[in-house]
């Protein structure tokens, strides 16, 4: 907490008016035009620094003031260097008037170097370190890169080991101390016996200690940037010598600047890992330890990628860190960089990484699925390392039941991640179970809610009360979740690895969860995931897998959580991809004709699964042809015809079952077209379909019918029937129209995409009538 006086100053700085601010800029420019700078100049610079840091917005200073501040970086008065550097770090250049910090500078002092580093870190993606949105108009010279690296070494490794002034004495803007120096301390309160790091504490910090903290905060980015822009032109022999010096020299002063910085960064990170094992006296310090561990392991990973000899020196420390932390899930975000280290370097040191992947793909998703920060970082880890994980971690593809818990729990937040990840989880071994898992994702979402609620009530030793709807009606899903009778069903949903399928009463038990917001959001995500799934399947599927998937689609079209919109969307996705699979692999229709005919021959499917039923009928009519598959016999065509004929006769001669609507014209016309197509390939069947079509015309002349409530729909159905009846009068023409050549891949005009036949078929119909 700030004192009342400090809060008042900060408030004034934030609320200063633009007109007053411009006048202040003008007065400061006049002060800086003098040859000597007194107390008023220092006070004005301190006030400017307060104004700039008190607001979250970055201000642009007048060009003249910016130039004057830049000139102060070379002032012999260190306090002016400190102030000007602090001010410039908080500003943006005026538009179109860039300044070049690196011009005419023979030697960079500490504060100019700090300013340069801050600009480097804010422009990591600029080629050759050209700062297009900072105060730089020219690339940073190699000499300056080298000098900055040397400064970083000094700040990181050789900062003071005695405490600075009191914490309330003003930070950088302080005078000399008169008291005796006090050694810095560790987080557990003991006196530090090694060099200063960000995990050291004291009553106050010296300037170089502050620079140590600042340097560590940007060290990882600097190593990545410096590595990418300063080419390493050493020969292999020179590289080997450097590696040997790095590994054996206690001082490392023989190393070039780049390698020396890498070595000091390595030592700094090992020291942080050692310090993290100390018992922090404050909770905030414990959180700082975790944050520093994440950064330290990331830096170790980077330096080991750049210098492989460091892997052997780093690995014992990283391995010990994993052994110390892996049982405590509060360190999960620390253990992800450790997993990255194992993934990058585990093979080099020939270590067994199975325990790491059991943790990452096992306990993390299973127990921390509701931690949004871990979910983001774990999924990001997977996306960044996708290729390596697929090639080197067999546990990855089998872990989809566990990983999908993140999607089931918070679909809107992670759906983009799974758009990238899902294709990598689809293999010939996992595809069928993955399809079932995606369809059960809303059930998994509900089960996770129940699991978390039960865990909470058990932890608080309270009675597990039923979840209630808004109207107050008690829900019994939680009772079922806690019952030993149904425990196996829920454990199947909560499984951590792929295994045997098991699904029966889950949808009934979880029916009450259909209205839960988390479940509803999850259900909206499933169609998107299914599209990605099937798009991937097309690239890997073999004959056996296609057969299994078609069977699964037809079976699961009935077994879905009772969410009407969800069911409708799933049927639409199934229909779309059933057509795609059959178009790419027509042989599958003959292979799976028994399954398809069983589905198409079930009259109830007309009313409950109109979308997918219509497409199954279309597929049978389109692809059961000798021109598509030589195995398609007359017997098979006749069997299919009889199944479809029975369904069409039943739905056009009876009233729909109670509680169901009349079949849509699309279903009826698709059935009629399929019968006509099959009859055109087996002419013995033409009289049967012609008889039905003629009776249809006769029946509808009597007025309304019970199976079609809309007059316009009835007219469309009759019109289609007349067109087909007329076409079948000339079997040769019918066969050429209704059975296109197999090599034709473009959409045909006869396909049933509309309610009435296109112009060409109507023209043929008129010709047959005229005869």
């Amino acid at each position: 907490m700030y004192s009342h006086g400090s809060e008042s100053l900060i408030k004034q700085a934030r609320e200063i008016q633009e007109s007053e601010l411009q006048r202040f800029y003008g007065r400061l420019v006049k002060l800086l035009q003098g040859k000597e700078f007194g107390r008023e100049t220092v006070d004005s610079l301190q006030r400017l620094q307060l104004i700039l840091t008190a607001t979250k917005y970055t201000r642009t200073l007048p060009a003249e003031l910016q130039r004057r501040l830049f000139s102060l970086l070379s002032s012999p008065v260190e306090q002016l260097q400190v102030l000007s550097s602090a001010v410039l770090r908080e500003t943006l250049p005026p538009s179109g008037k860039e300044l070049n910090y690196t011009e005419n500078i023979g030697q960079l002092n500490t504060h100019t170097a700090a300013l340069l580093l801050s600009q480097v870190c804010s422009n990591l993606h600029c080629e050759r370190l050209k700062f297009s949105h900072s105060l730089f108009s020219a690339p940073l010279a190699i000499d300056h890169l080298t000098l900055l690296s040397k400064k970083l070494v000094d700040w990181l490794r050789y900062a003071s080991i005695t405490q600075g002034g009191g914490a309330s004495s003003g930070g950088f803007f302080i005078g000399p101390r008169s008291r005796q120096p006090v050694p810095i301390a560790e987080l557990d309160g003991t006196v530090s016996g090694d060099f200063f790091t960000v995990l050291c504490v004291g009553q106050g910090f010296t300037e170089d200690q502050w620079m140590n903290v600042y340097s560590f905060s940007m060290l990882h980015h600097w190593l990545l940037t410096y590595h990418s822009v300063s080419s390493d032109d050493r020969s292999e022999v020179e590289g080997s010598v450097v590696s040997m010096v790095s590994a054996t020299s206690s001082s490392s002063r023989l190393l070039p600047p780049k390698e020396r910085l890498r070595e000091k960064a390595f030592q700094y990170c090992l020291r942080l890992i050692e310090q993290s094992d100390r018992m922090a006296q404050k909770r905030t310090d414990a959180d700082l330890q975790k944050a520093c561990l994440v950064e330290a392991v990331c830096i170790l990973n980077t330096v080991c990628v750049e210098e492989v000899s460091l892997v052997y020196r780093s690995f014992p420390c990283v391995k010990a860190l994993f052994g110390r932390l892996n049982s405590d899930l509060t360190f999960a975000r620390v253990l992800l960089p450790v997993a990255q280290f194992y993934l990058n370097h585990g093979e080099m040191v020939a270590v067994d990484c199975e325990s790491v992947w059991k943790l990452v793909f096992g306990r993390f998703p299973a127990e921390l699925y509701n931690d949004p920060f871990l979910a983001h970082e774990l999924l990001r880890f997977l996306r960044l390392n996708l290729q390596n994980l697929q090639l080197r971690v067999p546990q990855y593809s089998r872990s989809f039941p566990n990983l999908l818990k993140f999607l089931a729990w918070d679909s809107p937040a992670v759906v983009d991640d799974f758009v990238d990840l899902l294709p990598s989880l689809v293999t010939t071994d996992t595809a069928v179970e993955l399809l079932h898992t995606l369809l059960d994702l809303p059930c998994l979402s509900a089960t996770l809610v129940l699991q978390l609620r039960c865990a909470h009530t058990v932890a608080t030793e309270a009675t597990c009360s039923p979840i209630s709807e808004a109207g107050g009606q008690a829900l019994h899903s939680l009772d079922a979740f806690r019952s030993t009778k149904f425990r196996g069903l829920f454990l199947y949903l909560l499984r951590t690895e792929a295994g045997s399928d098991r699904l029966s009463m889950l949808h009934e038990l979880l029916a009450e969860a259909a209205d839960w917001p988390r479940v509803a959001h999850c259900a909206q995500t499933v169609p998107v995931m299914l599209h990605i799934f099937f798009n991937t399947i097309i690239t890997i599927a073999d004959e056996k897998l296609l057969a299994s998937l078609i069977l699964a689609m037809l079976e699961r079209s009935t077994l879905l959580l009772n969410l009407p919109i969800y069911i409708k969307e799933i049927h639409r996705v199934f229909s779309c991809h059933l057509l795609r699979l059959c178009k790419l692999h027509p042989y599958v229709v003959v292979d799976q004709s028994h399954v398809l005919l069983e589905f198409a021959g079930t009259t109830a499917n007309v009313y409950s699964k109109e979308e997918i039923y219509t497409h199954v009928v279309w597929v049978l009519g389109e692809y059961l042809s000798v021109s598509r598959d030589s195995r398609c016999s007359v017997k098979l065509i006749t069997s299919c015809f009889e199944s479809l004929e029975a369904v069409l006769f039943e739905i056009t001669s009876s009233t729909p079952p109670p509680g169901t609507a009349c079949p849509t014209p699309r279903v009826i016309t698709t059935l009629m077209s399929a019968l006509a197509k099959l009859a055109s390939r087996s002419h013995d069947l033409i009289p049967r379909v012609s008889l039905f079509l003629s009776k249809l015309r006769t029946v509808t002349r009597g007025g309304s019918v019970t199976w079609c409530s809309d007059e316009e729909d009835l007219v469309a159905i009759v019109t289609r029937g007349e067109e087909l009846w007329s076409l079948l009068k000339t079997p040769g023409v019918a066969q050429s129209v209704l059975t296109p050549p197999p090599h034709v891949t473009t959409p045909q005009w006869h396909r049933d995409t509309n309610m009435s036949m296109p112009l060409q078929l109507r023209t043929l119909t008129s010709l047959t009538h005229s005869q």
Side-chain angles (χ1 to χ4, degrees):
M1 295 295 292
Y2 295 106
S3 66
H4 178 73
S6 298
E7 288 184 349
S8 177
L9 289 174
I10 293 173
K11 183 178 180 182
Q12 291 177 28
R14 288 175 176 167
E15 296 177 352
I16 187 171
Q17 299 298 314
E18 186 63 27
S19 57
E20 182 183 354
L21 186 60
Q22 292 300 325
R23 289 194 297 270
F24 175 68
Y25 290 159
R27 289 196 301 271
L28 185 54
V29 169
K30 290 181 180 179
L31 287 172
L32 295 177
Q33 287 174 347
K35 294 183 179 180
E36 295 183 0
F37 308 113
R39 187 64 206 175
E40 184 180 0
T41 303
V42 173
D43 291 342
S44 296
L45 288 172
Q46 289 177 333
R47 185 185 176 196
L48 176 60
Q49 200 265 344
L50 177 62
I51 292 171
L52 295 174
T53 55
T55 176
K56 64 180 179 181
Y57 305 105
T58 305
R59 297 183 183 272
T60 300
L61 298 180
E64 178 65 19
L65 177 57
Q66 204 123 26
R67 280 192 290 271
R68 297 288 177 182
L69 290 170
F70 174 64
S71 66
L72 288 182
L73 292 172
S74 303
S75 170
V77 181
E78 186 174 12
Q79 190 175 21
L80 295 177
Q81 296 176 17
V82 172
L83 284 168
S84 59
S85 177
V87 168
L88 288 171
R89 285 201 298 270
E90 300 291 336
T91 63
L92 289 175
S95 178
K97 297 187 178 182
E98 297 173 334
L99 296 170
N100 186 359
Y101 283 180
T102 62
E103 195 175 42
N104 300 322
I105 296 180
Q107 176 100 21
L108 292 179
N109 58 42
T110 296
H111 310 293
T112 307
L115 178 58
L116 287 175
L117 286 174
S118 68
Q119 299 297 337
V120 168
C121 292
S122 64
N123 294 276
L124 292 176
H125 301 293
C126 295
E127 291 184 3
R128 297 170 59 218
L129 296 183
K130 187 170 182 178
F131 304 97
S132 57
H133 296 290
S134 69
L135 301 181
F136 292 89
S137 61
L140 201 60
I142 294 298
D143 290 344
H144 290 140
L145 287 172
T146 300
L147 185 56
L148 287 172
S149 291
K150 291 179 178 179
K151 284 289 185 182
L152 281 172
V153 168
D154 291 339
W155 289 328
L156 288 170
R157 186 61 180 82
Y158 303 110
S160 304
I161 58 174
T162 57
Q163 298 184 25
S168 60
S169 59
F172 284 117
F173 314 113
I174 51 179
R177 302 287 174 267
S178 57
R179 62 183 181 83
Q180 286 293 107
V182 178
I184 57 172
E186 302 289 351
L187 292 181
D188 59 3
T190 62
V191 174
S192 176
D194 209 332
F195 61 89
F196 178 88
T197 72
V198 68
L199 288 181
C200 294
V201 295
Q203 292 298 312
F205 294 124
T206 61
E207 179 190 327
D208 62 348
Q209 289 169 351
W210 281 115
M211 292 309 301
N212 178 287
V213 174
Y214 177 73
S215 300
F216 174 69
S217 70
M218 49 70 62
L219 178 60
H220 189 208
H221 292 310
W222 173 258
L223 289 171
L224 293 173
T225 306
Y226 188 36
H227 174 75
S228 63
V229 299
S230 58
S231 59
D232 191 350
D233 56 359
R234 297 173 300 154
S235 67
E236 290 188 16
V237 174
E238 290 173 326
S240 300
V241 172
V242 167
S243 298
M244 291 172 62
V245 172
S246 172
T248 59
S249 174
S250 59
S251 66
S252 74
R253 294 189 180 275
L254 298 177
L255 293 172
K258 178 180 176 180
E259 284 69 25
R260 188 162 182 248
L261 174 59
R262 187 183 297 150
E263 175 68 20
K264 296 307 178 184
F266 171 78
Q267 295 174 7
Y268 195 99
C269 292
L270 293 187
R271 165 110 163 96
L272 286 179
I273 292 174
E274 179 273 323
Q275 287 180 295
S276 70
D277 198 22
R278 296 177 180 270
M279 183 65 68
Q281 295 180 330
K282 300 178 182 178
R283 181 176 178 180
T284 53
D285 289 339
D287 293 337
L288 178 62
Q289 283 179 314
K290 293 178 182 178
C292 289
L293 274 176
V294 171
E295 193 72 3
V297 178
C298 288
I299 292 171
L300 281 179
N301 186 59
T302 299
V303 298
C304 288
V305 168
E306 294 178 357
E307 181 57 69
V308 294
S309 67
L310 293 176
V311 174
Y312 301 98
R313 299 169 61 193
S314 302
F315 203 84
C317 180
V318 175
K319 184 178 180 181
L321 180 66
F322 176 77
R324 174 160 58 90
L325 302 182
N326 71 79
S327 61
D328 188 350
L329 290 184
T330 62
F331 285 92
R333 296 174 69 186
V334 176
L335 289 165
L336 280 178
V338 173
Q340 181 73 68
F341 193 93
Y342 271 80
L343 181 63
N344 288 352
H345 310 294
E347 286 187 357
M348 180 181 296
V349 293
V351 67
D352 183 7
C353 303
E354 185 175 358
S355 59
V356 177
W357 306 127
K358 280 186 176 180
L359 185 68
V360 172
F361 298 123
R363 291 190 67 195
F364 283 2
E367 301 181 40
L368 301 175
Y369 58 84
N370 60 330
D371 184 335
F373 298 105
L374 177 73
H376 169 75
E377 292 181 9
L378 176 54
L379 295 177
R380 181 175 180 270
F381 166 78
L382 298 181
R383 286 166 52 215
L384 292 176
N385 298 281
L386 201 51
Q387 188 173 2
N388 279 341
L389 289 170
Q390 288 178 277
L391 292 175
R392 296 158 55 185
V393 185
Q395 295 93 329
Y396 170 67
S397 62
R398 298 199 305 267
S399 66
F400 67 85
N402 225 12
L403 294 176
L404 286 172
K405 290 173 184 176
F406 291 120
L407 184 62
W409 181 257
D410 194 3
S411 300
V414 301
V415 64
D416 289 342
D417 296 292
F418 277 94
V419 167
D420 294 334
L421 291 175
L422 188 62
S424 66
L425 297 171
V426 182
T427 68
T428 54
D429 294 329
T430 64
V432 175
E433 187 178 347
L434 179 56
L435 174 60
H436 285 289
T437 304
L438 290 173
L439 294 172
D440 290 329
L441 215 56
C443 296
L444 175 58
S445 178
T447 303
L448 292 175
V449 172
L450 296 173
Q451 182 188 44
L452 199 65
R453 182 176 178 83
C454 258
H456 174 72
T457 54
V458 169
T460 56
E461 297 182 355
T463 302
C464 200
S465 59
I467 304 172
S468 297
E469 294 175 325
Q473 181 180 357
L475 302 180
H476 304 291
S477 303
L478 189 56
D479 295 330
F481 180 80
R482 300 172 64 198
S483 171
T484 56
K485 179 180 179 181
F486 305 116
R487 188 63 177 163
L489 303 177
F490 291 102
L491 288 178
Y492 167 71
L493 286 175
L494 295 173
R495 69 197 187 283
T496 60
E497 291 186 357
S500 59
D501 191 5
R502 188 179 177 192
L503 179 67
S504 56
M505 300 179 64
L506 278 171
H507 301 138
E508 182 180 347
L509 295 173
L510 294 173
E512 299 155 315
D515 295 329
W516 298 354
R518 195 176 297 278
V519 176
H521 287 150
C522 182
Q524 293 170 1
T525 305
V526 175
V528 178
M529 295 295 109
L530 286 177
H531 279 301
I532 297 170
F533 171 84
F534 283 111
N535 288 340
T536 307
I537 283 294
I538 287 174
T539 65
I540 67 169
D542 54 20
E543 184 175 340
K544 181 179 179 181
L545 179 57
L546 284 175
S548 300
L549 289 175
I550 288 177
L551 178 61
M553 282 193 283
L554 298 181
E555 288 179 344
R556 290 307 305 268
S557 62
T558 302
L559 299 172
L560 296 170
L561 187 64
N562 189 22
L563 283 165
I565 297 178
Y566 172 67
I567 293 174
K568 186 176 181 180
E569 288 298 318
I570 298 303
H571 287 177
R572 183 175 290 120
V573 174
F574 279 178
S575 302
C576 168
H577 291 285
L578 177 65
L579 292 186
R580 291 185 67 195
L581 292 174
C582 292
K583 179 179 178 181
L584 291 172
H585 308 282
Y587 64 83
V588 78
V589 179
V590 175
D591 289 341
Q592 298 302 307
S593 58
H594 175 74
V595 173
L596 294 170
L597 282 178
E598 184 179 357
F599 183 87
T602 304
T603 306
N605 292 336
V606 174
Y607 302 100
S608 61
K609 308 166 192 171
E610 177 212 333
E611 184 78 18
I612 190 168
Y613 182 86
T614 302
H615 285 77
V616 168
V617 170
W618 188 92
V619 161
L620 289 169
E622 183 75 5
Y623 295 109
L624 280 184
S625 169
V626 176
S627 63
R628 296 283 188 178
D629 194 322
S630 59
R631 297 173 299 164
C632 185
S633 63
V634 173
K635 181 179 179 181
L636 179 57
I637 291 176
T638 303
S639 175
C640 180
F641 181 92
E642 291 175 346
S643 295
L644 299 183
E645 181 187 42
V647 173
L648 182 59
F649 179 79
E650 183 176 348
I651 64 176
T652 57
S653 61
S654 60
T655 304
T660 61
C662 294
T664 64
R666 185 182 179 210
V667 175
I668 296 175
T669 56
T670 301
L671 279 165
M672 292 191 303
S673 296
L675 290 175
K677 291 176 183 178
L678 294 170
S680 71
R681 298 161 198 163
S682 179
H683 293 176
D684 292 344
L685 301 175
I686 290 180
R688 293 171 62 174
V689 68
S690 297
L691 179 62
F692 172 83
L693 294 174
S694 62
K695 285 184 177 180
L696 178 66
R697 181 171 54 177
T698 303
V699 169
T700 55
R701 285 176 180 172
S704 61
V705 292
T706 58
W707 47 269
C708 185
S709 57
D710 187 275
E711 185 176 349
E712 290 184 1
D713 290 344
L714 185 60
V715 171
I717 293 170
V718 172
T719 301
R720 174 60 62 86
E722 290 179 344
E723 292 169 345
L724 292 170
W725 177 75
S726 300
L727 186 59
L728 290 172
K729 286 183 177 180
T730 53
V733 174
Q735 185 170 5
S736 64
V737 170
L738 297 175
T739 305
H743 64 273
V744 176
T745 57
T746 56
Q748 298 299 300
W749 55 265
H750 71 277
R751 289 191 174 181
D752 306 309
T753 56
N754 297 304
M755 290 254 288
S756 61
M757 281 290 188
L759 177 62
Q760 291 92 330
L761 185 53
R762 285 199 292 271
T763 302
L764 291 172
T765 303
S766 64
L767 289 175
T768 58
H769 278 301
S770 65
Q771 294 176 355

